[in-house]
Amino acid sequence: MSILPPPPLVGRAAELRALIDAVTRPPAVALVEGEAGIGKTRLVRAALDRLPSGDRAVLLGYCHQIREPFPYGPVFEALRDVGERLPAANRLNPVTGALRGHLPELAGALPPSPQPLDDPRAERHRVFRAIRALLAAVGPAVLVVEDLHWADDGTLDLLRFLAGQPPRGLAVVATYRRDGSAGPPLGRAYRHQPDTANLVVRLAPLDVSGVAGLAGALLERSDLSPGFVARLHERTAGIPFVVEELVRSLPASPPGADDPDALDRAVDRAGVPLLLREAMAERIAGLSPPAARAVRAAAVLRLPASEHLITAVGGGCAGASRAGPDSAETDFTETGSAGLAEALRAGVLHEHPGGRYGFRHALAQQAVYDAVPGPERRSAHVRATAALAAMDAPPLVQLAFHARRAGDTEAWVRHGTAAAQQAAALGDTALAIEVIEGMLDDPDLPVRGRGPLVLMLSRFAATGLSHQRVVRLLRQVLRGDFLSRDVRGEVRLNLGVVLSNQAGDAAAGRPEIMAALAELSDRPTLAARGWASMAMPEWGTESLAEHAEWMARAEALVAAADNPELSAAVLANRASFAMTTGSPGAFDVAARLPVADPRTAVRREVARAYCNLHNSATTVGLYAAAERFARDGRRLALETGAQYPAFLLDASVIRREWLTGRWDGLRDRAASLAESATETPLIAVDLWLVLGLLALATGEWEEAVRQFRRAGLDAPDAGNVPIVTAAAGGLVDLHLARGMVDEAVAEAERAVVRLRRKGVWVWGASVVPSAVAAFAGAGRIAMAAELVDEYAAGIAGRIAPAAHAALDAAGGALAAAGARYADAAAFFARAREAYAALPQPYAAARAAEGEARAGLALGDGAAAAGLRDAAHWYGRLGATHDAARCRRALRDIGVDVPLPRGGRRGAGGLSQREREVARLVALGRTNREIADVLFLSTRTVETHVATVLRKLGVRSRTQIAPPA
């Protein structure tokens, strides 16, 4: 065996420069991607080695293929040695005291531990903040997390938190491989932050010259023949680790330059060098039996392990026991230690942090494991199970893995179940689900063991975010007949909740809940939850009367149960029900919520209620109350760990900001949050709606249609009814703006049918004025008048300011269509005042525009001032299409309205009009389309485009980027 020096970094100069640049300019997030053996770790180590000594803390953490329920383990592992860089405890953020239990090595350097929280999910946010504060204190720092593809969901959440709000001096570096996954390494919830340097380094295999450089350096030769290099490249696919392993398997004294074909023959003698297993087999063949046993034991264990554990799993001491048990044990230990030391000296095994030993790469581990004969593998797994079970804190996930490989089904189920329960208790729901899924996927799992695991899986899934594989598994199980009726009912209920919430598929989830209710007749507590869920009128095609009946059933069941958490859950739904329908007693119901209850589970339901109440109050136009609900809901969600309602709250706050005119930066905030919610579509519908409405206000027709369809119009009966209704109103307005009256009428008719069916007319504020305008514009005055009357009756006595303002707006549109301009002006004036009081500035500007146009139709020249004001209000919001429409109307009556001057100019000193044109050019619009959106002539647009090109110093329209 040849013992070679560490290989150099070859063919990665550009990648190394880029990584060093990112690390030395924090805050930064650098992701190094590549297949197994490509050199990700080597690149990162090379970059770290080139940093000035002592310049910054370097913190190293590792994700493992088999992991125990230790959330955020890789990051805690990285933080254990930062004690020397910490300031005095009294200078640290007090929240870092929350890390004392996680980092006992630093306990003496941290502030006192805060009072523990009842719920692990509430503790999680505090731990995140504590880790961020600790990293800020030791900065500047580089946090390196290896093998991110094996990270648990909790670690990914933590890294997203750190990457989204990085301390000023922190650079995060993560290595990962795709392994067939198309998603981003930090999950779809991660979005690049504009003030953070972001780098993705994708490492490709070495080309022929790179392989030549690496092999030449390893062999210390510069006379490698082109044929040998080509063969080496062909057999290794240019993967540096495979090149290294193959070269290490060559003779210790390779042939010289006088025989240029000798290396070719040496490669041939190594077997099939393309396969790493051949190279590893060649290296192990040169080891002594104790060293080979140590290597095989490490392969069976998979994870880096202690000397004692490797020795115990290695076995092989039968011939050493003649001198007595004590002597045999001593000889066995010494022999095992000597074998491990030999394997380390030969470079087959490597030392890892914490006194653990294993392979440098998973490829090598797998190659050795596959070469161990089956009976020997099973015996080694038996020894691994025994050794791990004897530990003070047995690693349950590893125990389950080894018991399964050892063929001990009973122990496998026992350890796997305990591992899932432990993970859930620690707040690592994702690992709990992963463990149970793996067991249920195994065809050798006994039927008698499936029922309890299925029930456990459904309970965990109802509170987690993972849903795709869970849904498939639960559906498969429910098709079987081994579950009892009551267990089947609970599993089906949880499946319905997962489908309706996490999967965002209420059309599939609600029938499952209804079917579960029939199976839960003997379990009233669970049935009450099901009826309360079905009672929420925002979902489904049922009428308000049916929802009210279901709510009454839930309340009757909960009245007979002594269950404070269930009572709070049903009361939370009742409060949301009352608020979203505009019930006069809604605030009285909300006041009964047990906000001061000492039980975390009860207050978690109150947090959910407040978040839902914010959404409902936003829908009906009670924005001050909505803001109060949001503030209290966010506080309670933080206290109780109710993360899902808090995320829903974030999305509905975006919708409130659109309604109340807080548009500055809103598009970016909505897009960022929508991207992070792609795995939970229920959360994203508010955001897609807002993105569609913003696109509509700027004349981006295709984008608006796309977002409205995502918000629910692609499957309206399965969507959130208030959001679908608002999206339909936006689409009606879009068709009217483009002169497509027939399409507007068709969309309005569909929306009105859904409103009538549901019977919650207060939700019509976002569509009824537009529908009236569409019907009247098509000459269907009687239909428009009938809708206005029906709407007025539907909202009578309801506490819904937005709906009452919309009634006046609809009355104005109807009067204007009938040439009753004095009535129209009066209606629009009342609507303008009502919208301004809410406030809804965009709706107020539309009412002001209608009022001014009615005044102009009456011959009132002073009404032009109202049109000018509307243009100004639209412009301040950023509704460029609406502002341009008003300016065009003013030009038509001979009133010149110059664009607002002043304010900051964009790149190249573009004026406001030029920025509008540049944005539309960047979106791919033709001059004719831009002219239609901005109500300009094509020639004027051509002039503006030429000016934009000149000011930006570019030659082609395709080079124009959207202005900031």
Side-chain angles (χ1 to χ4, degrees), residues 809-820:
L814 179 63
R820 294 182 289 110

PDB file of all heavy atoms in Angstrom, residues 809-820:
ATOM      1  N   ALA A 809     -70.568  52.110  -4.211  1.00  0.00           N
ATOM      2  CA  ALA A 809     -69.816  52.080  -5.466  1.00  0.00           C
ATOM      3  C   ALA A 809     -70.616  51.367  -6.556  1.00  0.00           C
ATOM      4  O   ALA A 809     -70.643  51.798  -7.721  1.00  0.00           O
ATOM      5  CB  ALA A 809     -68.475  51.396  -5.264  1.00  0.00           C
ATOM      6  N   ALA A 810     -71.285  50.260  -6.185  1.00  0.00           N
ATOM      7  CA  ALA A 810     -72.113  49.540  -7.153  1.00  0.00           C
ATOM      8  C   ALA A 810     -73.297  50.404  -7.591  1.00  0.00           C
ATOM      9  O   ALA A 810     -73.661  50.420  -8.781  1.00  0.00           O
ATOM     10  CB  ALA A 810     -72.604  48.228  -6.550  1.00  0.00           C
ATOM     11  N   GLY A 811     -73.897  51.131  -6.652  1.00  0.00           N
ATOM     12  CA  GLY A 811     -74.994  52.031  -7.004  1.00  0.00           C
ATOM     13  C   GLY A 811     -74.547  53.112  -7.963  1.00  0.00           C
ATOM     14  O   GLY A 811     -75.276  53.490  -8.889  1.00  0.00           O
ATOM     15  N   GLY A 812     -73.322  53.624  -7.776  1.00  0.00           N
ATOM     16  CA  GLY A 812     -72.791  54.629  -8.688  1.00  0.00           C
ATOM     17  C   GLY A 812     -72.600  54.086 -10.089  1.00  0.00           C
ATOM     18  O   GLY A 812     -72.931  54.743 -11.087  1.00  0.00           O
ATOM     19  N   ALA A 813     -72.063  52.852 -10.184  1.00  0.00           N
ATOM     20  CA  ALA A 813     -71.862  52.245 -11.506  1.00  0.00           C
ATOM     21  C   ALA A 813     -73.193  52.014 -12.206  1.00  0.00           C
ATOM     22  O   ALA A 813     -73.317  52.226 -13.426  1.00  0.00           O
ATOM     23  CB  ALA A 813     -71.107  50.923 -11.350  1.00  0.00           C
ATOM     24  N   LEU A 814     -74.221  51.590 -11.446  1.00  0.00           N
ATOM     25  CA  LEU A 814     -75.533  51.351 -12.038  1.00  0.00           C
ATOM     26  C   LEU A 814     -76.162  52.668 -12.505  1.00  0.00           C
ATOM     27  O   LEU A 814     -76.709  52.742 -13.622  1.00  0.00           O
ATOM     28  CB  LEU A 814     -76.434  50.667 -11.010  1.00  0.00           C
ATOM     29  CG  LEU A 814     -77.871  50.369 -11.447  1.00  0.00           C
ATOM     30  CD1 LEU A 814     -77.873  49.391 -12.626  1.00  0.00           C
ATOM     31  CD2 LEU A 814     -78.684  49.792 -10.280  1.00  0.00           C
ATOM     32  N   ALA A 815     -76.070  53.710 -11.692  1.00  0.00           N
ATOM     33  CA  ALA A 815     -76.660  55.001 -12.068  1.00  0.00           C
ATOM     34  C   ALA A 815     -75.947  55.592 -13.276  1.00  0.00           C
ATOM     35  O   ALA A 815     -76.591  56.140 -14.182  1.00  0.00           O
ATOM     36  CB  ALA A 815     -76.589  55.966 -10.882  1.00  0.00           C
ATOM     37  N   ALA A 816     -74.621  55.491 -13.319  1.00  0.00           N
ATOM     38  CA  ALA A 816     -73.879  56.033 -14.455  1.00  0.00           C
ATOM     39  C   ALA A 816     -74.254  55.316 -15.738  1.00  0.00           C
ATOM     40  O   ALA A 816     -74.385  55.938 -16.811  1.00  0.00           O
ATOM     41  CB  ALA A 816     -72.385  55.921 -14.205  1.00  0.00           C
ATOM     42  N   ALA A 817     -74.475  53.981 -15.675  1.00  0.00           N
ATOM     43  CA  ALA A 817     -74.847  53.224 -16.874  1.00  0.00           C
ATOM     44  C   ALA A 817     -76.222  53.644 -17.379  1.00  0.00           C
ATOM     45  O   ALA A 817     -76.496  53.572 -18.586  1.00  0.00           O
ATOM     46  CB  ALA A 817     -74.829  51.736 -16.569  1.00  0.00           C
ATOM     47  N   GLY A 818     -77.083  54.109 -16.480  1.00  0.00           N
ATOM     48  CA  GLY A 818     -78.408  54.563 -16.874  1.00  0.00           C
ATOM     49  C   GLY A 818     -78.473  56.046 -17.145  1.00  0.00           C
ATOM     50  O   GLY A 818     -79.583  56.601 -17.245  1.00  0.00           O
ATOM     51  N   ALA A 819     -77.300  56.700 -17.247  1.00  0.00           N
ATOM     52  CA  ALA A 819     -77.204  58.145 -17.533  1.00  0.00           C
ATOM     53  C   ALA A 819     -77.832  58.987 -16.427  1.00  0.00           C
ATOM     54  O   ALA A 819     -78.200  60.147 -16.666  1.00  0.00           O
ATOM     55  CB  ALA A 819     -77.828  58.466 -18.895  1.00  0.00           C
ATOM     56  N   ARG A 820     -77.950  58.424 -15.222  1.00  0.00           N
ATOM     57  CA  ARG A 820     -78.407  59.221 -14.071  1.00  0.00           C
ATOM     58  C   ARG A 820     -77.172  59.754 -13.346  1.00  0.00           C
ATOM     59  O   ARG A 820     -76.789  59.294 -12.281  1.00  0.00           O
ATOM     60  CB  ARG A 820     -79.250  58.341 -13.147  1.00  0.00           C
ATOM     61  CG  ARG A 820     -80.556  57.871 -13.777  1.00  0.00           C
ATOM     62  CD  ARG A 820     -81.420  57.033 -12.822  1.00  0.00           C
ATOM     63  NE  ARG A 820     -80.871  55.713 -12.571  1.00  0.00           N
ATOM     64  CZ  ARG A 820     -80.351  55.318 -11.421  1.00  0.00           C
ATOM     65  NH1 ARG A 820     -80.270  56.166 -10.410  1.00  0.00           N
ATOM     66  NH2 ARG A 820     -79.885  54.102 -11.275  1.00  0.00           N
TER      67      ARG A 820
END
